Amino acid sequence: MLETNAAWAEQAPGLGGPARPSRGTAVVACMDARMDVYRLLGLVPGEAHVIRNAGGVVTDDVLRSLAISQHVLGTREVVLVHHTRCGLAGADEAAFADQVEQAAGQRPPWPMRAFADVDDDVRESVRLVRESPYLLAAEVRGTVYDVDSGRLRTVV
Ligand SMILES: [Zn+2]
């Protein structure tokens, strides 16, 4: 990876520029390795914040990042990207906590945030962003990306 980076840095044009995302957009997406968030949304560096975690769920830390994105760096639109065949769909919270405890010796204090239905989870995430007292809930979109077809579908 370091060698790839060295070669890339040699030929990368026009890096740097302002930190403020030029499209005024923050994306919250699952960390799934099959999702190239920039390419599937047609974004290039400099245009949007991309905040990722397992499930693309709205945690306190996502709200922290969105608050910085909006109040410090001027974004106004939030796009949530969940996806089909997510590892958190139908996952077993207790089994995961058991697994962590057995492997690492400590039971995690936070939930895995498994969900039953991806559309319901997108709606819940949109609600959490809209109802956060720290955010400007101007425009919030919830979508589901199909990892097989590459298509993005709007839920809300
Ligand atoms: Zn996922």
Side-chain angles (χ1 to χ4, degrees):
M1 286 183 194
L2 287 173
E3 285 166 19
T4 302
N5 170 259
W8 176 80
E10 284 296 316
Q11 19 176 307
L15 292 177
R20 182 177 279 255
S22 62
R23 286 211 195 179
T25 299
V27 178
V28 179
C30 183
M31 68 183 188
D32 193 285
R34 295 165 290 189
M35 288 167 60
D36 184 339
V37 173
Y38 282 87
R39 289 179 72 187
L40 75 91
L41 294 174
L43 296 170
V44 298
E47 290 187 333
H49 286 139
V50 177
I51 303 156
R52 301 186 73 169
N53 65 24
V57 296
V58 177
T59 60
D60 280 351
D61 192 63
V62 167
L63 294 173
R64 178 187 70 88
S65 295
L66 287 174
I68 293 166
S69 179
Q70 293 190 340
H71 301 298
V72 180
L73 291 158
T75 66
R76 290 294 177 267
E77 179 187 46
V78 179
V79 179
L80 303 169
V81 186
H82 293 209
H83 66 97
T84 60
R85 298 204 282 128
C86 184
L88 290 188
D92 185 329
E93 294 269 354
F96 171 71
D98 289 345
Q99 187 181 355
V100 172
E101 188 171 15
Q102 279 162 21
Q106 195 76 29
R107 199 166 184 84
W110 24 258
M112 181 190 203
R113 298 283 293 267
F115 56 85
D117 180 85
V118 69
D119 284 25
D120 286 345
D121 201 55
V122 167
R123 280 188 280 269
E124 169 68 1
S125 296
V126 167
R127 186 186 67 77
L128 290 170
V129 171
R130 285 193 176 140
E131 291 182 3
S132 170
Y134 309 106
L135 299 178
L136 309 166
E139 259 198 75
V140 188
R141 290 233 172 275
T143 67
V144 173
Y145 173 72
D146 186 319
V147 296
D148 296 299
S149 72
R151 293 192 188 282
L152 195 66
R153 176 171 58 81
T154 299
V155 173
V156 60

